[in-house]
Amino acid sequence: MIVKNRFVTTAQKKLSPGQAQESPLTVIIPIAGVGHRMKSYGPKCLLPANKKESIIQKSISTVKKVFPYAEIIVVVGFEADKVIKCIPEDVRIVENQFYETTNVVESLRLALNCSINTNILILYGDLIYNTHTISDISKDESCIVIDSKNRFKAEEVGVTVVEGSVTNFAYGLPTKWSHIIYMAERESRFFKKLCGDRKRNKMYPFEIFNYMISKGFSFKAVEPSGMNIREIDSMKDL
């Protein structure tokens, strides 16, 4: 029998020492998908990022360096048992048991339903990045990390930027979305509502972001100084 929305780690309700000085933040890392090009190697997130850490371990350790008091939620799916063994105990885990028939929007919906905060940072689980990439992006308004220096492949989703804000997501644009987005309360609440809308749960996140922009929501475009980021799409990217 399938049990929906299993939790491995429960929500932390108490503030940790020093947490009062930070804006409450939840970091969501979706890694439920199969990754068809890498399927024979097992979960992509378990491939080595360096000699000591897998991709998901590196992602979590980088987040902790920048946001030591953030709630971190990892959404697992494909070969979840293997992935869970590699995740620290203080990281919350949500399982998308329907990962084969849903996309990342469903994983995000499950995580958002479990989050204890309304400031949300989403980091795709196939990224390797440094601390500079995420250090300052949650200080002000909602924003999207972009790449104008060919760090991402030409076939990835791009963005149009006008006067410092993202106005459109589409394929074929030279400036790319780096698969990182920070949403403050107003945007995250509306995004959560859209992820739970049955009319939109087959959409991809960038399509939902386009809809939000059309409704007047704004996302600042940021390309942090010192950003070092790679998307792992195949073994050649390691």
Side-chain angles (χ1 to χ4, degrees):
M1 181 179 69
I2 293 178
V3 180
K4 293 184 179 179
N5 211 14
R6 291 193 300 180
F7 297 89
V8 178
T9 310
T10 56
Q12 180 181 352
K13 294 182 180 179
K14 270 188 176 180
L15 288 176
S16 301
Q19 193 170 0
Q21 282 77 49
E22 288 189 357
S23 296
L25 176 70
T26 293
V27 179
I28 298 174
I29 307 175
I31 54 173
V34 175
H36 293 286
R37 295 186 213 181
M38 309 280 274
K39 187 175 181 180
S40 60
Y41 295 95
K44 188 195 301 187
C45 64
L46 296 185
L47 293 171
N50 53 45
K51 292 182 180 180
K52 296 181 179 180
E53 299 171 299
S54 65
I55 293 172
I56 185 58
Q57 289 171 328
K58 178 72 166 62
S59 184
I60 291 170
S61 66
T62 301
V63 168
K64 286 183 174 182
K65 288 175 184 176
V66 180
F67 305 109
Y69 304 111
E71 173 192 44
I72 303 175
I73 300 177
V74 174
V75 188
V76 299
F78 175 56
E79 296 192 3
D81 294 344
K82 288 183 180 179
V83 177
I84 288 169
K85 291 177 183 178
C86 298
I87 295 176
E89 291 184 359
D90 59 342
V91 172
R92 298 184 63 202
I93 300 171
V94 174
E95 184 175 4
N96 177 2
Q97 296 186 48
F98 302 101
Y99 66 90
E100 290 185 288
T101 57
T102 61
N103 67 25
V104 69
V105 168
E106 174 63 8
S107 292
L108 295 175
R109 183 188 72 81
L110 293 172
L112 289 165
N113 283 347
C114 303
S115 172
I116 61 174
N117 303 309
T118 53
N119 295 324
I120 304 294
L121 175 62
I122 296 171
L123 301 161
Y124 275 35
D126 56 359
L127 301 174
I128 298 175
Y129 49 92
N130 64 357
T131 56
H132 294 291
T133 305
I134 59 174
S135 289
D136 296 320
I137 62 175
S138 67
K139 288 187 175 179
D140 298 307
E141 69 261 49
S142 297
C143 63
I144 290 162
V145 177
I146 65 169
D147 165 39
S148 65
K149 299 180 179 178
N150 300 315
R151 301 178 185 93
F152 282 71
K153 297 181 178 69
E155 62 267 24
E156 294 296 334
V157 174
V159 293
T160 301
V161 179
V162 177
E163 296 182 352
S165 294
V166 173
T167 58
N168 184 49
F169 288 77
Y171 289 104
L173 297 173
T175 299
K176 301 301 179 184
W177 172 38
S178 294
H179 295 163
I180 298 175
I181 182 168
Y182 168 72
M183 287 182 279
E185 181 175 358
R186 179 172 177 264
E187 285 75 22
S188 73
R189 286 190 183 280
F190 194 64
F191 180 70
K192 177 180 178 179
K193 179 180 177 181
L194 294 175
C195 287
D197 184 346
R198 293 191 181 188
K199 296 178 181 178
R200 305 185 192 281
N201 62 7
K202 299 297 183 183
M203 297 173 72
Y204 290 98
F206 77 90
E207 295 175 307
I208 293 180
F209 300 147
N210 275 340
Y211 179 77
M212 291 177 68
I213 291 168
S214 75
K215 294 297 182 181
F217 289 87
S218 178
F219 297 95
K220 181 180 177 182
V222 297
E223 190 166 13
S225 176
M227 179 170 78
N228 187 346
I229 188 168
R230 284 186 291 153
E231 181 188 20
I232 305 304
D233 196 40
S234 69
M235 292 298 291
K236 294 179 181 179
D237 298 324
L238 292 169

